[in-house]
Amino acid sequence: MKKQLIAATVISAILFSHTSWAVVAEPQKAREHTEELVGLSSGILLGAVIAGPVGAIIGAFTGTIIGKTVGDEAEIADKNQQLVKQKHTLVAQQQQLIAMDLQQQELVQVSEKYYELQTNLAELNANQQRTLNELTIGMNVQFKTGSSQIEPLFKQQLDNVAYMMTLSPELTIDLTGYADRRGDDQYNQALSEQRLAEVIQYLVLQGIDRQRLQGRAYGATSPLHTEQNIENDFFDRRVTLTLMSPAAQLAAN
């Protein structure tokens, strides 16, 4: 029994001495040999106890295999942990990419919606301007000679203007009053001012804020035609109304 233990001790000492030199020479491989030494030493002792020197040698080889297996399992477990961490990292990155993709899709949808709204707004503004232009054409309240009284036909036209103003609170009206060339300049100026005042008063009675009505009278200074006759005088006795949008007001100013 003593011989067996002595043999085991000698073999172990030789192996540990060899391994210690290897650890000093190659530190990076130290971990790989540690598990083998554990199995090797255990195998030597076990083999020596059971079967003597020969058993020690067989036990050494067997222990080496066992120790290496233990080391391999530890390395595999370590690699598995690394793979799990990498998997978690990849999953987190994938989730971030999905979130970024969703945000990009939302931005695209918002941009498309904004463009659609801008297009619709531009179309509405264009339609409104066409309507204003159509209403401006022929928006003249005509008067009889020497009169500032609004005739029923033109009252209906002013009612339509008041309704348009109610639907579009941003609109204002620019009014200009005129007279024909009969009579002197002072009389014609006063008559054009009275006609202008009558039209403004009528619109105010229809609910239009006075601040939205701007006007000026010009007397007989702006006839529509160079030649003076009965027909041309009729068209010169007028108050002209021009609907103004905010953009048109800025341009006029």
Side-chain angles (χ1 to χ4, degrees):
M1 183 66 179
K2 291 182 179 180
K3 292 180 179 181
Q4 296 172 355
L5 291 177
I6 292 171
T9 302
V10 170
I11 294 172
S12 297
I14 293 172
L15 290 174
F16 274 110
S17 175
H18 174 74
T19 303
S20 299
W21 177 85
V23 170
V24 174
E26 298 183 53
Q28 295 180 355
K29 295 184 178 179
R31 180 181 174 276
E32 297 177 1
H33 292 294
T34 300
E35 294 85 355
E36 296 178 6
L37 286 175
V38 172
L40 178 62
S41 300
S42 300
I44 291 172
L45 292 175
L46 183 61
V49 171
I50 295 174
V54 175
I57 296 173
I58 296 173
F61 284 107
T62 304
T64 301
I65 295 172
I66 294 172
K68 185 168 185 1
T69 301
V70 172
D72 290 343
E73 289 178 352
E75 185 176 356
I76 290 172
D78 183 57
K79 288 184 178 180
N80 285 339
Q81 291 180 355
Q82 293 179 2
L83 290 174
V84 170
K85 291 181 180 179
Q86 292 177 357
K87 181 179 180 181
H88 289 167
T89 302
L90 290 175
V91 170
Q93 292 176 350
Q94 184 178 15
Q95 292 176 348
Q96 291 178 355
L97 290 175
I98 293 174
M100 292 174 63
D101 184 60
L102 291 175
Q103 290 178 354
Q104 184 177 5
Q105 292 179 8
E106 291 177 357
L107 288 175
V108 170
Q109 292 177 356
V110 170
S111 299
E112 291 176 351
K113 189 66 176 178
Y114 176 78
Y115 177 77
E116 181 181 355
L117 291 175
Q118 288 291 86
T119 302
N120 293 339
L121 180 60
E123 186 177 353
L124 287 174
N125 288 336
N127 291 336
Q128 184 185 47
Q129 190 59 49
R130 283 195 295 268
T131 302
L132 294 178
N133 294 337
E134 291 172 359
L135 289 174
T136 299
I137 298 174
M139 283 184 60
N140 291 323
V141 179
Q142 310 296 150
F143 297 87
K144 293 181 179 179
T145 303
S147 173
S148 61
Q149 182 178 356
I150 301 174
E151 299 297 322
L153 174 64
F154 296 105
K155 286 183 178 181
Q156 183 177 357
Q157 179 176 322
L158 291 175
D159 290 341
N160 293 334
V161 172
Y163 179 71
M164 181 68 181
M165 294 285 288
T166 302
L167 295 179
S168 304
E170 76 281 2
L171 296 178
T172 60
I173 298 182
D174 183 57
L175 303 96
T176 51
Y178 303 94
D180 61 29
R181 283 166 282 189
R182 300 178 186 181
D184 58 38
D185 292 340
Q186 185 176 358
Y187 173 80
N188 288 335
Q189 179 63 33
L191 185 57
S192 65
E193 291 175 358
Q194 184 61 34
R195 289 168 175 166
L196 177 64
E198 289 291 334
V199 174
I200 291 176
Q201 182 63 24
Y202 185 86
L203 291 173
V204 170
L205 290 176
Q206 306 310 307
I208 305 304
D209 187 355
R210 178 64 179 82
Q211 298 298 321
R212 299 173 65 189
L213 307 173
Q214 303 174 1
R216 184 176 178 182
Y218 293 94
T221 60
S222 299
L224 294 176
H225 302 88
T226 303
E227 183 181 356
Q228 182 182 2
N229 53 44
I230 295 177
E231 182 179 355
N232 291 342
D233 286 344
F234 170 77
F235 289 107
D236 286 340
R237 299 189 295 270
R238 71 194 188 278
V239 171
T240 300
L241 296 85
T242 303
L243 289 170
M244 303 284 288
S245 64
Q249 294 178 44
L250 290 176
N253 293 334

